[in-house]
Amino acid sequence: MLFAFLGLVIWVCRLILAVPFPEDFIFGVSTAAYQNEGAWNTSGKGPSIWDTLTHERPELILDRSNGDVADNSYNKWEEDIELLNDLGVQFYRFSIAWTRIFPDGEPINPNQEGINFYNNFLDQLTSNGILPMVTIFHWDIPESLQKMGGFMNPRIIDYYTAYAKVLFDHFGDRVKYWITINEPKQYCQEGHGEASYAPAINISGVADYLCGHNIIRAHAAVYHMYDDYYRSLYDGEVGISLSGHWFEAYTRDDEDAAERMRQFYVGWWANPIFSSEGDYPKVMKEFISKRSSQQGYPWSRLPEFTEDEINYIRGTADFFGFNHYTTFMAQNAESDDLTVSYANDHQVIFASDPTWARGASAWLSVVPWGFRKYLKWIKDTYSSPIIYVTENGFSDHGGLHDPERVQYYKQYMEALLEAIYIDEVEVKGYAPWTLMDNFEWFDGYVNRFGLYGVDFSDPNLPRKPKDSAKYYKEVIKSRRLV
Ligand code: GBH
């Protein structure tokens, strides 16, 4: 009886894999300005925190490289669009460099050359029938704004809104999807709490929450601005891209810890925006305020939203952009250690299972079922939002023959189909990370995520399709897993 039932389940699953992606489902691919554009100081562009960090502290980057040239997409953008055509994608997710628009961040006299560049790019993209999905901020804040505290200074909300306004004014007619912020968890917690990304502040349990508080309010301000003034003109959609590892409980006793970790990782951003009650997750507020008072703080290190802010922020997304790569096993680690840190606030430890296949990035293992579970969790936790998977990918050390990446995409897209057809999750689009090998932050050019390989030793930076590009192209064309 049990076997018959299991057999049926497997049969149903297989059947589902023969089913095409839903008709309204769109395929795309993702990149980001600092990782691809190069041309770091030309055409009026000012320095961002990534220019400064890579120039002043090259030892932080695995191969001491930087994004000065990267893929030179600033000059080779027409060739990039040919790659997109070759793949056959329906949308392209890329980010705009804030410092091309406002070179030193001050919201006066936008740089016309920067505006022209993106105008040309968007014209060409849309005339090829490719929908632009534009990330407004993918971590490259102007250096001079950082000197004034960057996202730790609440005034940033006005700066960021003024910048976004220029983008809506100039590009809103062609942009269907806007993403306010890419991965606030990485930017705030790993870039402010730790020193794993610029601006490498490294004040855990304090700077991360300050950054987070302002970034959420900045997101909401830009959403409302679009809603109030631009939606009626352009009818676009505005969302945010949140990254999440799936945290699976190590044992039954670790269920609470795994859920707490999901809340500290993705709930931090998703609860204020996507939940019906709004505000930070309860468990975060409780754990951080308790810890703060034990440590002798006169306040909770997690700032508080006012009632008005909670209402203002709640519901400020037309879709949930989801960046997902991997899964970790999570274990409860409650302790009496009073060190001030994010890790000590959540009190969970996590690790990959040694049996899982691994990518080149230290944190990346291949666990497709975690992707499916995560999508279902988002559906159940936030009343079934529309989801676009805005990143998903696998790293190796390069080369055009990439069977592991092909396997990764095949398995993760299988999990995606199961989420759509069996769990009825509202996933409407999918964009692998990334179009071509690029500057992989602290991993420099050592770890490669591209569908197209780039020869960085050749000054022309030629792009060539990997096996995975050919595979993805087939999937897009047939709209099913081949
Ligand atoms: C994305 O970040 C970025 O948006 C993109 O720019 C980048 O190139 C791409 O992914 C690949 O890295 O949870 O303590 O183990 C996702 C980055 C990096 C998030 C590593 C989690 C692991 C820290 N991920 N990080 S931990």
Side-chain angles (χ1 to χ4, degrees):
M1 188 57 199
L2 179 67
F3 281 130
F5 174 69
L6 286 177
L8 184 73
V9 169
I10 289 165
W11 180 77
V12 168
C13 295
R14 292 293 118 189
L15 197 88
I16 263 158
L17 296 181
V19 163
F21 281 86
E23 250 171 57
D24 62 349
F25 187 91
I26 54 176
F27 291 98
V29 70
S30 276
T31 61
Y34 185 72
Q35 295 176 273
N36 287 68
E37 282 183 2
W40 78 279
N41 63 353
T42 58
S43 314
K45 181 183 169 295
S48 78
I49 56 172
W50 276 95
D51 294 310
T52 311
L53 177 133
T54 54
H55 294 160
E56 290 178 1
R57 305 178 64 189
E59 70 282 359
L60 292 177
I61 313 297
L62 207 49
D63 54 2
R64 303 182 69 94
S65 66
N66 55 51
D68 287 5
V69 179
D71 290 314
N72 196 15
S73 288
Y74 185 76
N75 294 302
K76 288 169 77 77
W77 60 274
E78 283 167 299
E79 225 181 283
D80 290 357
I81 292 178
E82 280 169 32
L83 298 186
L84 298 171
N85 278 331
D86 177 49
L87 271 180
V89 290
Q90 292 156 285
F91 73 99
Y92 180 46
R93 174 179 180 244
F94 65 99
S95 81
I96 288 179
W98 191 334
T99 50
R100 287 198 194 283
I101 307 298
F102 289 125
D104 65 359
E106 292 307 319
I108 45 175
N109 309 323
N111 172 35
Q112 194 57 45
E113 279 185 89
I115 293 172
N116 295 347
F117 170 70
Y118 293 112
N119 258 332
N120 293 337
F121 186 75
L122 285 166
D123 280 347
Q124 182 91 348
L125 202 59
T126 49
S127 71
N128 278 277
I130 300 167
L131 296 168
M133 179 183 271
V134 175
T135 310
I136 297 171
F137 177 55
H138 199 122
W139 307 349
D140 47 355
I141 182 175
E143 171 63 20
S144 59
L145 293 186
Q146 190 60 47
K147 283 199 182 127
M148 297 187 284
F151 273 90
M152 293 176 291
N153 179 345
R155 187 68 173 175
I156 196 68
I157 298 166
D158 299 320
Y159 279 92
Y160 173 72
T161 310
Y163 158 56
K165 181 177 185 299
V166 174
L167 307 193
F168 292 159
D169 281 336
H170 287 88
F171 313 134
D173 57 340
R174 283 150 294 165
V175 178
K176 167 84 174 136
Y177 305 99
W178 292 98
I179 290 167
T180 54
I181 318 270
N182 179 67
E183 298 190 350
K185 159 68 170 66
Q186 273 57 49
Y187 179 70
C188 290
Q189 200 278 314
E190 294 171 38
H192 290 69
E194 300 166 14
S196 306
Y197 295 98
I201 303 290
N202 212 10
I203 307 179
S204 188
V206 183
D208 33 17
Y209 300 139
L210 286 180
C211 170
H213 203 62
N214 293 321
I215 225 168
I216 292 169
R217 293 187 295 170
H219 155 83
V222 164
Y223 180 90
H224 281 293
M225 176 170 69
Y226 192 87
D227 214 31
D228 294 345
Y229 302 106
Y230 297 93
R231 190 183 297 282
S232 58
L233 293 173
Y234 304 132
D235 198 29
E237 294 176 25
V238 182
I240 183 167
S241 284
L242 305 180
S243 75
H245 308 313
W246 176 250
F247 294 102
E248 179 76 4
Y250 195 69
T251 68
R252 276 196 151 184
D253 292 340
D254 299 310
E255 286 298 345
D256 284 354
E259 177 61 17
R260 189 162 72 241
M261 198 58 230
R262 290 170 213 141
Q263 292 296 343
F264 265 83
Y265 208 104
V266 85
W268 181 355
W269 325 97
N271 212 75
I273 298 169
F274 294 95
S275 75
S276 50
E277 72 280 5
D279 201 359
Y280 290 120
K282 254 204 200 80
V283 70
M284 255 186 109
K285 293 201 293 185
E286 277 169 22
F287 270 62
I288 300 169
S289 78
K290 186 170 149 224
R291 236 331 104 114
S292 300
S293 80
Q294 288 170 341
Q295 288 156 340
Y297 274 86
W299 52 72
S300 173
R301 284 174 285 99
L302 182 68
E304 279 173 28
F305 291 124
T306 65
E307 206 50 42
D308 282 350
E309 285 175 327
I310 291 172
N311 295 327
Y312 180 76
I313 294 163
R314 195 179 49 201
T316 53
D318 303 317
F319 62 88
F320 192 123
F322 185 45
N323 295 356
H324 178 82
Y325 292 83
T326 198
T327 286
F328 286 93
M329 302 302 296
Q331 230 177 333
N332 187 25
E334 285 179 72
S335 84
D336 299 327
D337 179 358
L338 290 182
T339 313
V340 176
S341 77
Y342 169 76
N344 231 350
D345 286 335
H346 61 62
Q347 304 193 36
V348 182
I349 50 170
F350 50 88
S352 351
D353 183 307
T355 65
W356 293 335
R358 304 295 295 261
S361 311
W363 47 273
L364 206 166
S365 31
V366 184
V367 195
W369 54 260
F371 187 30
R372 177 174 170 192
K373 281 198 178 189
Y374 218 135
L375 291 167
K376 172 83 161 62
W377 182 88
I378 293 172
K379 174 191 169 189
D380 294 342
T381 313
Y382 305 113
S383 335
S384 209
I386 301 274
I387 300 172
Y388 287 95
V389 175
T390 42
E391 286 181 28
N392 176 234
F394 178 85
S395 56
D396 58 18
H397 293 301
L400 301 180
H401 182 51
D402 58 345
E404 290 173 292
R405 181 172 293 103
V406 171
Q407 199 51 21
Y408 179 98
Y409 278 124
K410 185 163 190 254
Q411 293 178 340
Y412 272 70
M413 281 193 272
E414 269 181 35
L416 177 61
L417 277 177
E418 288 167 0
I420 293 172
Y421 285 112
I422 303 176
D423 304 330
E424 300 184 305
V425 184
E426 297 270 349
V427 190
K428 296 292 183 202
Y430 177 76
W433 181 270
T434 178
L435 179 61
M436 68 188 88
D437 293 340
N438 61 15
F439 178 75
E440 176 50 19
W441 309 113
F442 278 21
D443 289 342
Y445 299 96
V446 177
N447 294 336
R448 311 280 181 93
F449 278 89
L451 292 170
Y452 289 78
V454 178
D455 181 356
F456 292 102
S457 65
D458 181 333
N460 292 322
L461 299 165
R463 291 92 155 107
K464 290 215 177 78
K466 300 183 187 178
D467 292 348
S468 54
K470 295 172 191 160
Y471 174 74
Y472 187 46
K473 184 176 170 165
E474 277 307 307
V475 171
I476 297 175
K477 202 166 135 208
S478 64
R479 300 190 63 81
R480 63 186 86 220
L481 295 179
V482 283

